[in-house]
Amino acid sequence: MSKKTVIVACASSMITSTIAANKIREIASKNGLPEPHILQLKFSEVQGALATNKVDFIVPTGKLQENVTQGIKVISGTPFVTGVNEERAAGQILEALKEE
Protein backbone atom coordinates (compact mmCIF):
# COMPACT_ATOMS: atom_id res chain seq x y z
CA MET A 1 0.00 0.00 0.00
CA SER A 2 1.44 3.33 -1.02
CA LYS A 3 2.14 6.18 1.35
CA LYS A 4 -0.39 8.97 0.88
CA THR A 5 0.31 12.68 0.67
CA VAL A 6 -2.29 14.74 2.49
CA ILE A 7 -2.72 18.50 2.79
CA VAL A 8 -4.13 19.54 6.15
CA ALA A 9 -5.03 23.21 6.06
CA CYS A 10 -6.46 25.91 8.27
CA ALA A 11 -6.38 29.69 8.38
CA SER A 12 -2.98 29.91 10.10
CA SER A 13 -1.55 26.34 9.71
CA MET A 14 -1.18 26.02 13.45
CA ILE A 15 -3.67 24.83 16.03
CA THR A 16 -6.66 23.28 14.24
CA SER A 17 -4.56 21.77 11.45
CA THR A 18 -2.27 20.22 14.08
CA ILE A 19 -5.29 18.59 15.74
CA ALA A 20 -6.47 17.19 12.39
CA ALA A 21 -2.97 16.08 11.33
CA ASN A 22 -2.47 14.20 14.60
CA LYS A 23 -5.86 12.52 14.16
CA ILE A 24 -4.94 11.39 10.63
CA ARG A 25 -1.67 9.91 11.90
CA GLU A 26 -3.60 8.14 14.68
CA ILE A 27 -6.13 6.68 12.22
CA ALA A 28 -3.32 5.34 10.01
CA SER A 29 -1.44 3.88 12.97
CA LYS A 30 -4.49 2.17 14.51
CA ASN A 31 -5.28 0.53 11.17
CA GLY A 32 -1.77 -0.63 10.33
CA LEU A 33 -1.41 1.78 7.42
CA PRO A 34 1.74 3.72 6.49
CA GLU A 35 1.89 7.14 8.12
CA PRO A 36 0.92 9.64 5.42
CA HIS A 37 3.16 12.49 4.35
CA ILE A 38 1.27 15.48 5.78
CA LEU A 39 1.70 18.98 4.42
CA GLN A 40 0.38 21.30 7.11
CA LEU A 41 -0.50 24.59 5.42
CA LYS A 42 -2.44 27.83 5.52
CA PHE A 43 -5.43 28.00 3.17
CA SER A 44 -3.49 30.55 1.09
CA GLU A 45 -0.68 28.02 0.52
CA VAL A 46 -2.80 25.13 -0.78
CA GLN A 47 -2.76 26.06 -4.48
CA GLY A 48 1.03 26.35 -4.54
CA ALA A 49 1.42 23.01 -2.78
CA LEU A 50 -0.91 21.33 -5.27
CA ALA A 51 1.26 22.65 -8.11
CA THR A 52 4.41 21.07 -6.68
CA ASN A 53 3.17 17.87 -4.95
CA LYS A 54 1.11 14.82 -5.88
CA VAL A 55 -1.61 15.15 -3.27
CA ASP A 56 -4.07 12.33 -2.57
CA PHE A 57 -6.59 14.35 -0.56
CA ILE A 58 -7.08 17.60 1.35
CA VAL A 59 -8.37 17.96 4.92
CA PRO A 60 -9.33 21.57 5.66
CA THR A 61 -10.43 22.53 9.17
CA GLY A 62 -12.61 25.32 7.83
CA LYS A 63 -14.15 26.55 4.60
CA LEU A 64 -11.70 26.09 1.72
CA GLN A 65 -12.81 27.55 -1.61
CA GLU A 66 -13.59 24.86 -4.22
CA ASN A 67 -11.60 26.65 -6.93
CA VAL A 68 -8.47 26.14 -4.79
CA THR A 69 -8.75 22.34 -4.56
CA GLN A 70 -8.25 21.62 -8.30
CA GLY A 71 -10.52 18.57 -8.22
CA ILE A 72 -8.60 16.82 -5.43
CA LYS A 73 -10.79 14.93 -2.92
CA VAL A 74 -11.66 17.07 0.12
CA ILE A 75 -12.60 15.58 3.50
CA SER A 76 -13.64 18.04 6.18
CA GLY A 77 -11.33 18.11 9.19
CA THR A 78 -13.70 20.34 11.18
CA PRO A 79 -15.20 17.33 13.04
CA PHE A 80 -11.78 16.65 14.61
CA VAL A 81 -11.87 20.13 16.11
CA THR A 82 -15.55 20.27 17.12
CA GLY A 83 -16.14 16.60 17.95
CA VAL A 84 -19.34 16.67 15.86
CA ASN A 85 -19.50 13.77 13.34
CA GLU A 86 -15.91 12.82 14.21
CA GLU A 87 -16.50 9.09 13.63
CA ARG A 88 -17.87 9.77 10.15
CA ALA A 89 -14.88 11.94 9.25
CA ALA A 90 -12.48 9.32 10.64
CA GLY A 91 -14.18 6.69 8.46
CA GLN A 92 -13.77 8.88 5.38
CA ILE A 93 -10.09 9.46 6.20
CA LEU A 94 -9.55 5.71 6.69
CA GLU A 95 -11.20 4.95 3.37
CA ALA A 96 -9.05 7.57 1.58
CA LEU A 97 -5.88 6.21 3.20
CA LYS A 98 -6.73 2.70 1.98
CA GLU A 99 -7.49 3.70 -1.62
CA GLU A 100 -5.01 2.53 -4.24
Side-chain angles (χ1 to χ4, degrees):
M1 184 165 293
S2 63
K3 186 171 182 169
K4 301 293 183 185
T5 297
V6 182
I7 289 178
V8 179
C10 69
S12 68
S13 81
M14 296 296 283
I15 297 167
T16 60
S17 62
T18 299
I19 292 167
N22 288 340
K23 198 59 141 167
I24 292 166
R25 287 184 189 98
E26 180 184 311
I27 291 165
S29 175
K30 280 185 176 179
N31 290 279
L33 300 170
E35 182 176 312
H37 175 62
I38 295 178
L39 303 171
Q40 198 169 324
L41 307 169
K42 297 177 188 175
F43 289 149
S44 62
E45 299 170 326
V46 170
Q47 269 187 313
L50 288 173
T52 57
N53 294 277
K54 183 190 173 301
V55 175
D56 295 288
F57 59 98
I58 302 168
V59 181
T61 61
K63 182 76 172 135
L64 183 62
Q65 299 299 317
E66 279 185 43
N67 64 329
V68 172
T69 62
Q70 301 176 16
I72 303 292
K73 177 188 276 198
V74 175
I75 301 170
S76 177
T78 304
F80 301 128
V81 178
T82 65
V84 177
N85 292 322
E86 189 172 343
E87 280 185 34
R88 180 171 172 255
Q92 291 174 327
I93 297 285
L94 178 59
E95 190 176 300
L97 289 172
K98 287 181 173 181
E99 284 178 359
E100 284 302 320

